[in-house]
């Protein structure tokens, strides 16, 4: 059993964009500058081997029903911690149910914090498994948010049993900006999953497979034009979900007309995500998308332009 090397740590984990159009449940990426913070300390008032949640916004303080608590407990079990208890404080920088990997960010920040307070013994793949324990309780057993939240960049999940994760390196010399436009609208993940077809036709399978392959190639080549085309080409999930988010179809059209390389729903929504290679153009695209949400969906929305987060969850 490792000894704590710090008495307290603070960690950050970024927002994530999952699915990226045709890559439902197997590809996601991390987004810079927004996310969740976890402060963790060794606490003599907490039973050894356990975690207590000392402060949190609007969520359960029961560690067994909280994303950060479940992931923290999972890492403690992996490390076989039995002689100290930990206390967690969670600062939510991400709105719940936004389609930006809110639960994954909490889980990732907590997993990294627990690992680091005991000297960083576990590899990132184990931390992803801890995050998956948490996601299973909250939004389903899928790693396309929690893997990029922990590892940064683009991450492809090749298999769940056994877990096989492939990081995809977007060229360092290329610029990539995400325009994230979040309307004031709730799109609960469970409801958005219930809208999906249980079976699909062979032609849609072939189409989406080819788009997903093209998207992976585009990421590795840093080809934003191809990335945008593939991102916008899902024929299975987006056509079922977009009608449930007022104005989404008009928002996608507005983004592409304003010069975005592509646009789709981020995760289960309601956030829309578009891609560009220029920050100033990104702000203009965001303005057009906000207008479309207002005019067509009668929803207020906020836009932000963010880079790819290449680092993932980390101590700060």
């Amino acid at each position: 059993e490792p000894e704590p090397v710090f008495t307290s740590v603070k960690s950050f984990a970024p927002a994530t964009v999952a699915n990226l159009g045709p890559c439902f449940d197997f590809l996601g990426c991390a987004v810079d500058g927004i996310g969740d913070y976890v402060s963790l300390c060794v606490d003599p008032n907490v039973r050894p081997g356990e975690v207590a949640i000392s402060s949190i916004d609007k969520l359960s303080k029961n560690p067994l029903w909280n994303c950060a608590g479940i992931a923290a407990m999972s890492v403690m079990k992996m490390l076989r911690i039995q002689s100290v208890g930990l206390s967690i404080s969670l600062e939510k920088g991400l709105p719940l149910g936004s389609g930006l990997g809110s639960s994954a960010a909490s889980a990732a920040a907590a997993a990294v914090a627990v690992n680091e307070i005991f000297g960083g013994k576990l590899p990132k793949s184990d931390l992803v498994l801890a995050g998956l324990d948490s996601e299973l309780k909250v939004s389903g057993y899928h790693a396309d948010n929690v893997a990029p939240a922990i590892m940064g960049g683009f991450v492809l999940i090749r298999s769940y049993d056994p877990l096989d994760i492939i990081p995809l390196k977007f060229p360092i010399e290329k610029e990539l900006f995400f325009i994230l436009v979040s309307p004031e609208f709730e799109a609960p993940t469970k409801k958005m999953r219930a809208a999906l077809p249980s079976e699909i036709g062979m032609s849609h399978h072939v189409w989406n497979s080819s788009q997903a392959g093209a998207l992976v190639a585009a990421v590795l080549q840093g080809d934003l034009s191809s990335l945008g085309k593939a991102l916008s080409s899902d024929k299975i999930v987006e056509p079922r979900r977009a009608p449930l988010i007022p104005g989404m179809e008009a928002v996608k059209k507005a983004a592409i007309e304003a010069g975005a390389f592509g646009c789709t729903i981020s995760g289960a929504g309601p956030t829309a995500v578009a891609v560009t290679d220029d920050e100033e153009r990104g702000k203009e695209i965001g303005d057009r998308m906000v207008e479309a949400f207002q005019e067509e969906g009668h929803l207020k929305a906020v836009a932000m332009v963010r880079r790819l987060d290449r680092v993932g969850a980390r101590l700060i």
Side-chain angles (χ1 to χ4, degrees):
E1 178 188 350
E3 293 280 316
V5 296
F6 302 107
T7 52
S8 66
V9 294
K10 187 172 184 180
S11 63
F12 167 81
T16 45
V17 173
N19 302 343
L20 293 162
C23 308
F24 177 69
D25 271 7
F26 66 85
L27 187 67
C29 64
V31 177
D32 189 40
I34 45 166
D36 286 359
Y37 296 85
V38 161
S39 299
L40 183 76
C41 65
V42 175
D43 189 339
N45 299 316
V46 178
R47 278 174 60 180
E50 291 192 5
V51 170
I53 295 174
S54 57
S55 83
I56 195 166
D57 311 331
K58 307 186 206 77
L59 290 165
S60 170
K61 276 196 174 183
N62 179 343
L64 302 176
W65 288 104
N66 174 278
C67 312
I70 297 163
M73 290 290 287
S74 186
V75 173
M76 284 182 86
K77 283 198 182 91
M78 288 175 182
L79 290 168
R80 299 192 169 90
I81 303 302
Q82 286 163 343
S83 53
V84 295
L86 301 175
S87 182
I88 287 183
S89 160
L90 174 62
E91 215 179 297
K92 290 296 294 175
L94 291 173
L96 305 176
S98 57
L100 291 170
S102 176
S103 60
S106 301
V112 165
V114 174
N115 191 39
E116 291 298 329
I117 210 167
F118 292 105
K121 309 280 186 208
L122 297 175
K124 284 189 172 181
S125 55
D126 282 354
L127 302 185
V128 173
L129 284 171
L132 268 172
D133 284 347
S134 164
E135 288 284 78
L136 178 61
K137 294 244 173 56
V138 182
S139 61
Y141 199 77
H142 55 94
D144 50 345
N145 290 108
V146 79
I150 286 169
M151 301 169 75
F154 287 87
V155 181
L156 183 140
I157 294 90
R158 194 198 65 78
S159 142
Y160 282 97
D161 190 15
L163 186 66
D164 185 2
I165 303 168
I166 305 171
L168 305 173
K169 285 233 180 306
F170 187 83
I172 200 93
E173 68 280 4
K174 299 274 179 125
E175 283 284 27
L176 167 58
F177 293 94
F178 297 95
I179 303 112
L180 302 165
V181 181
S182 300
E184 289 180 4
F185 181 76
E186 285 217 2
T189 302
K190 287 201 167 103
K191 182 187 169 187
M192 299 307 269
R193 281 190 170 256
L196 302 181
S198 55
E199 293 183 351
I200 56 164
M202 180 60 87
S203 64
H204 280 178
H205 161 67
V206 171
W207 172 263
N208 262 44
S209 298
S210 63
Q211 300 311 309
L215 194 142
V216 169
V219 167
L220 296 173
Q221 292 164 355
D223 179 349
L224 275 197
S225 173
S226 295
L227 175 64
K229 279 186 199 135
L231 182 87
S232 307
S233 297
D234 172 32
K235 282 189 179 176
I236 296 170
V237 176
E238 190 185 304
R240 295 294 187 99
R241 286 179 166 173
L244 302 178
I245 303 167
M248 181 57 81
E249 280 127 334
V251 169
K252 180 173 182 171
K253 191 164 174 271
I256 290 165
E257 282 174 0
F261 289 115
C263 179
T264 188
I265 302 168
S266 178
T271 296
V273 57
V275 288
T276 184
D277 57 359
D278 180 270
E279 192 168 11
E280 284 310 307
R281 190 184 306 128
K283 287 174 185 167
E284 289 164 28
I285 294 165
D287 290 343
R288 300 292 85 77
M289 292 167 75
V290 167
E291 283 166 17
F293 262 130
Q294 184 68 61
E295 285 166 20
E296 298 293 325
H298 309 292
L299 294 175
K300 281 188 183 152
V302 290
M304 53 189 159
V305 181
R306 294 282 186 258
R307 279 188 164 86
L308 180 71
D309 182 311
R310 295 172 184 267
V311 181
R314 57 227 183 232
L315 280 201
I316 53 169

